[in-house]
Each structure stands twice: as structure tokens, then as C-alpha cells.
Amino acid sequence: MNISIFGLGYVGCVGMGCLAQAGHKVIGVDVQQLKVDLINRGEATIVEKDIDKIIKEQFQQKNIRATTDHLDAVLNSDVSIICVGTPSSSKGHLNLDHIYQTAEQIGRALKNKGGFHVVAIRSTVMPGTNQRVGEIVKRASGKKRNQGFSVVSNPEFLREGSAVHDYFNPPLTVLGGDSEKAIEIMERLYEKINGPKERVDIKAAEMIKYVNNSFHALKVTFANEVGNICQHLGIDSHEVMRIFCLDRQLNLSPYYLKPGFAFGGSCLPKDLKALNALAHDLYLETPVLNSIEKSNENQKDRAFHMIEKSGKKKIGILGLSFKVGTDDLRNSPIVDVIEKLNGKGYELRIHDQNISFSRLVGKNKSFVEEKLPHLCKLLQDDLDALLQWAEVIVIANKNECYQGISTRKGQTIIDLVRVAALESKDQYEGICW
Ligand SMILES: NC(=O)c1ccc[n+]([C@@H]2O[C@H](COP(=O)([O-])OP(=O)(O)OC[C@H]3O[C@@H](n4cnc5c(N)ncnc54)[C@H](O)[C@@H]3O)[C@@H](O)[C@H]2O)c1
């Protein structure tokens, strides 16, 4: 395939060399003459393991060349990959000027080109950029999106220092587009790249890189805070994190990574508090660990405000225990929301298959007596009657009996746990989807 790459920095230079090595002809474009000259002498524009050799070989085999002339590059390629820089503005926002300039240049060049052209955005960009790039290319080229051209979001996951290896072995290849033809072209382009290829929604493709990098940053800072505490206690932090990483069921796994309601229960809140108190007693700053509880409280407030915003007063709560399959009410996050609603004069009825007041015992009973002394009056065993009565239905756990509930017209459904079967109902609102 004939490819043009816009931006010959880290991502562009590695992409150019690796695509050429995989059998494609690549024309690189940069606004910096210096980088164009380097490529045209068979030299890499960056310092990175293996890339010098690849660029030299591919240049000698006439598979790569570079230019400052975008028209030349677009006219002689079927796919244009945008790898230009996306720096931060002084206020931390993303500066997308280079992306939009490149879109304008590609669009103007496409005016003079027949056939279908794919524009792939490899740079890290905010959700909505794909659409804006499409509008710019459409205006500048006079062509219709998905007829004359298409825009595909294809974020890059390589890391500096192991960029060539990462290029050929990404965790996955993400392709977000709205044209089957364009996605197929991109899949062919990456035929020799290992790992799964995921066709996804455009905005999800744009979002993923930010989520990835923020999570990576969170991992680093979390491990560092754990390390600081361990060091003060004379415990080998690397040994602790080695053991931590051995747990692929709960720690390094998809578990606990579904957006939804706050965490609760008898362990997480208590043990998080204890670790924070320990760090405090050691005179250690642990801002990441410290902010977790605040974030959790924020999610409870969010649920409360959703109910408040409905403007309705008769609230039916489905699920009271802190998660499905248990009757444990200790630190159940919905209990805090109920308490607040109670205090504000809302009428409440609660259903939970695993809980009836007469069966409450031990810690659970004292927790309820302290937190919700009127709980026995609010609990209702008859789910249908509750559904008939309520103006707002709040789903707080994933009990199977809530999957197929029948709701009335005008009833608001506030879902904190994502019951897929209810999503198509009128007046359905998910807490974070
Ligand atoms: N560096 C990484 O490890 C990495 C990894 C994944 C994703 N990314 C993302 O990829 C993008 C590029 O990153 P990078 O590190 O390669 O940036 P870079 O700064 O090294 O290179 C960007 C290049 O784009 C060129 N450029 C700017 N405007 C241009 C235009 N209109 N036409 C042609 N060239 C133009 C610049 O001259 C520069 O050479 C960024 O969005 C970055 O966030 C980077």
C-alpha cells in the first residue's frame, strides 16, 4: 500500500520505518526541513533502539522518502496517517492546531485526487477531533465523508525506549471509524502487526489513550505511595508489589473496573482508612490513597443529585446490601444515599431479596439500628407493589429479579449498576454511562 505519514517525530518516524519493513511504500511529511533531510539521507529523526537500522535499510530499498510538500504526499498515497504533535496549552488543555492544519492540507490536496482516501489519526486527540477533522477535510476537498474519504481514529500505544518492538507487538490495535471500507483498508495495513484488532466507536477510540495513560500514571503513583509506606515500616516494597501482581483475579484483572456506583462493604472502606491512618502516623504524604474516599463519596452524591433532579418524591430503592448476593449492609453506599433522602423528607420504599428486617442479626442489625432506625418501615417484600407506587426507581444492585422489571410510563429509572435490559426504557438514566 502507498502511505503518507504526517509528522516525522517519535510516532511518525517509527511508523514510517515499521510500515516500510512490513512491505508498504511510505512518504513522510514534516514542516521541519531538518527531519525531511535526515530521512532522505537514510537517517532516523529520533534516537531509539533498532530504528536507525530500519530507516537505513528501507531508504536503501527505496521504500521510504520524505518531503515538505503535502500535495506530493497525498497524491501519491491511499492512506494518510496523522502523527503530528499535540502539545499541552499553558492551561493544560490539548493544542490541536497541528492536527487541524494537517487536515486542511490533506483536504486541499484531495481536491486534486480521485479515488477513496483514508485519513488515520494516530496522534493522541480529544473525543470529537475525528469529526472536526472530517469537517475540515470535507470543506477543503469538496468531497463527501465516506464517499471520497474517511477518517479513522487509530491511537498509538508504543512506548519510547521499546518503540519498534511495541509497534509490532501492541496490546491491541484500535480502529474507530464509520466506514467499513476504511476500516478494512486499515486492517490490511496492519496485517503483519501482532495482537487483536478491535473495531470500536470513534469517540471510544479517541478516549482510550487518555484512559490508558491516566491509569498508567495512577499505577506508578499508587505503587510509589505503597513503596514509601513499606520503606518506613522496613518492608521490602518490591516484594509486596510482586505478590500484589501475582493476583490476576482481583488485582491485575478487569474486576473492579466497571464504571458504576460507590464501593462499600465491611472491608474496602475500613482497610483503606487504616492504610491512610498508618501513612499519616508515619508523617507520609499519600495524596493518591487519600483521595480515594473522596472520590467514592462523590459517587454517592452523584446518585443523590440524580434523584433530587428528577423533582419527584416517591423513591423506590431496589437493592440495599453493598453488593448482590449478600445481606451485608455494613458500609453499603446506598444506605448513605437513603439516609440523606430520608433527612430531606423523601418518601422511600426499599426492596432487597436477601434482607427482611426480622432476619437482621448481629453487626448488620446494629448497623441498621444506628444508621436507619426506620428501615423496617421502609423495607417492602412485594416488588410489584413497590414498582407500582414509586415515581423514581433506583437500581442499586444487580439482583437478577431486577433484570426484567416492568415500569410505568412517566417513571424515572436511575440505574447505578447498569442493567442492560432496562437501558432502552424512557426516562432511563445511568449513573455514568
Ligand atoms: N512519543 C510517544 O511515545 C507517543 C506514543 C503514543 C502516542 N503519541 C502521540 O503521538 C503524537 C505525536 O507524538 P510524537 O512524540 O511523535 O511528537 P513529536 O513532537 O516528536 O513529532 C511531531 C512532528 O510533527 C511535525 N509537524 C507539526 N505540524 C505538522 C504539519 N502540519 N505537517 C507535518 N508535520 C508536522 C513536527 O515538526 C514534529 O516533527 C502526539 O499526539 C503524542 O501524544 C506519542
Side-chain angles (χ1 to χ4, degrees):
M1 223 179 278
N2 293 319
I3 299 152
S4 49
I5 289 192
F6 284 74
L8 295 174
Y10 229 93
V11 171
C13 181
V14 172
M16 168 179 245
C18 295
L19 281 165
Q21 199 176 52
H24 304 286
K25 296 267 183 214
V26 189
I27 306 169
V29 187
D30 206 290
V31 287
Q32 295 182 48
Q33 187 65 49
L34 176 78
K35 292 191 179 174
V36 169
D37 292 342
L38 280 168
I39 297 293
N40 288 334
R41 287 201 303 265
E43 291 174 37
T45 61
I46 53 162
V47 177
E48 175 70 36
K49 187 172 177 288
D50 298 332
I51 197 67
D52 289 25
K53 192 167 157 275
I54 294 175
I55 292 287
K56 192 173 175 192
E57 274 171 17
Q58 295 308 317
F59 176 72
Q60 282 166 352
Q61 290 169 27
K62 299 198 172 4
N63 291 330
I64 59 173
R65 67 179 174 92
T67 175
T68 53
D69 181 359
H70 53 272
L71 193 67
D72 166 23
V74 173
L75 291 182
N76 292 298
S77 60
D78 311 306
V79 178
S80 292
I81 304 179
I82 302 179
C83 302
V84 299
T86 49
S88 293
S89 72
S90 57
K91 293 206 162 65
H93 295 106
L94 199 68
N95 178 347
L96 293 171
D97 290 354
H98 298 320
I99 297 276
Y100 296 143
Q101 266 164 21
T102 309
E104 182 78 34
Q105 290 168 340
I106 295 173
R108 275 195 239 132
L110 283 178
K111 221 178 188 170
N112 306 304
K113 183 175 176 269
F116 188 69
H117 198 89
V118 178
V119 180
I121 306 176
R122 201 80 167 131
S123 301
T124 303
V125 294
M126 278 286 150
T129 309
N130 180 307
Q131 195 190 337
R132 180 91 188 91
V133 164
E135 286 161 6
I136 294 171
V137 174
K138 183 181 166 193
R139 184 183 34 74
S141 67
K143 291 177 190 269
K144 278 197 172 151
R145 182 175 179 131
N146 296 337
Q147 285 183 12
F149 73 95
S150 190
V151 187
V152 175
S153 293
N154 170 218
E156 172 61 77
F157 299 134
L158 63 76
R159 295 161 301 170
E160 293 180 16
S162 54
V164 171
H165 177 268
D166 288 353
Y167 187 91
F168 286 113
N169 302 285
L172 73 164
T173 297
V174 171
L175 297 168
D178 51 1
S179 152
E180 179 75 20
K181 186 171 168 183
I183 297 284
E184 274 171 14
I185 291 171
M186 291 304 292
E187 281 175 346
R188 248 187 291 137
L189 189 72
Y190 293 133
E191 233 163 34
K192 298 206 171 130
I193 301 289
N194 294 323
K197 295 182 179 63
E198 281 285 324
R199 294 177 174 209
V200 302
D201 168 77
I202 289 175
K203 286 195 175 153
E206 294 177 311
M207 188 69 184
I208 195 65
K209 184 73 191 187
Y210 292 103
V211 178
N212 286 358
N213 278 351
S214 302
F215 188 54
H216 300 164
L218 175 66
K219 284 171 81 171
V220 171
T221 50
F222 176 82
N224 289 345
E225 288 188 7
V226 169
N228 295 343
I229 296 171
C230 287
Q231 188 197 39
H232 269 72
L233 298 172
I235 300 168
D236 183 348
S237 59
H238 281 229
E239 177 61 359
V240 170
M241 290 313 285
R242 184 188 71 78
I243 303 165
F244 173 88
C245 294
L246 288 177
D247 178 349
R248 304 276 161 150
Q249 284 181 31
L250 301 182
N251 293 351
L252 304 189
S253 77
Y255 207 83
Y256 294 124
L257 285 173
K258 285 205 177 89
F261 196 36
F263 64 78
S266 61
C267 296
L268 266 57
K270 169 175 75 70
D271 297 345
L272 176 69
K273 263 196 180 75
L275 188 62
N276 271 315
L278 178 63
H280 180 262
D281 292 348
L282 296 169
Y283 298 100
L284 284 170
E285 293 283 345
T286 48
V288 170
L289 290 170
N290 264 324
S291 60
I292 297 173
E293 193 175 332
K294 184 165 181 281
S295 174
N296 206 42
E297 289 305 312
N298 186 53
Q299 206 66 348
K300 295 180 202 171
D301 289 346
R302 195 177 165 87
F304 173 77
H305 291 309
M306 286 172 81
I307 298 166
E308 195 181 38
K309 217 175 89 207
S310 74
K312 296 169 182 167
K313 287 286 172 199
K314 290 179 174 177
I315 317 296
I317 311 275
L318 307 189
L320 186 62
S321 58
F322 85 99
K323 66 176 178 185
V324 70
T326 170
D327 67 347
D328 198 349
L329 294 174
R330 286 169 296 166
N331 289 311
S332 172
I334 195 65
V335 169
D336 289 341
V337 178
I338 291 170
E339 223 181 9
K340 204 163 167 183
L341 290 166
N342 216 10
K344 296 238 174 197
Y346 284 82
E347 288 181 62
L348 293 161
R349 291 191 189 172
I350 305 165
H351 176 270
D352 193 309
Q353 217 176 21
N354 295 324
I355 300 165
S356 79
F357 197 72
S358 56
R359 286 199 349 240
L360 287 175
V361 287
K363 278 243 164 65
N364 233 356
K365 191 159 198 286
S366 58
F367 177 79
V368 170
E369 277 165 1
E370 186 193 321
K371 279 266 187 183
L372 284 170
H374 308 303
L375 185 78
C376 51
K377 279 190 225 142
L378 306 179
L379 271 170
Q380 183 157 354
D381 288 342
D382 187 341
L383 177 59
D384 290 335
L386 182 149
L387 291 172
Q388 273 304 312
W389 167 85
E391 293 169 327
V392 177
I393 297 165
V394 180
I395 302 168
N397 80 30
K398 264 203 154 153
N399 200 310
E400 249 179 50
C401 65
Y402 306 144
Q403 303 288 320
I405 55 167
S406 46
T407 53
R408 301 186 267 108
K409 209 164 178 256
Q411 243 170 355
T412 302
I413 303 171
I414 295 177
D415 188 355
L416 309 181
V417 293
R418 198 159 199 177
V419 177
L422 301 177
E423 279 185 75
S424 55
K425 297 218 183 232
D426 280 351
Q427 302 198 43
Y428 169 94
E429 292 170 41
I431 187 167
C432 48
W433 49 88

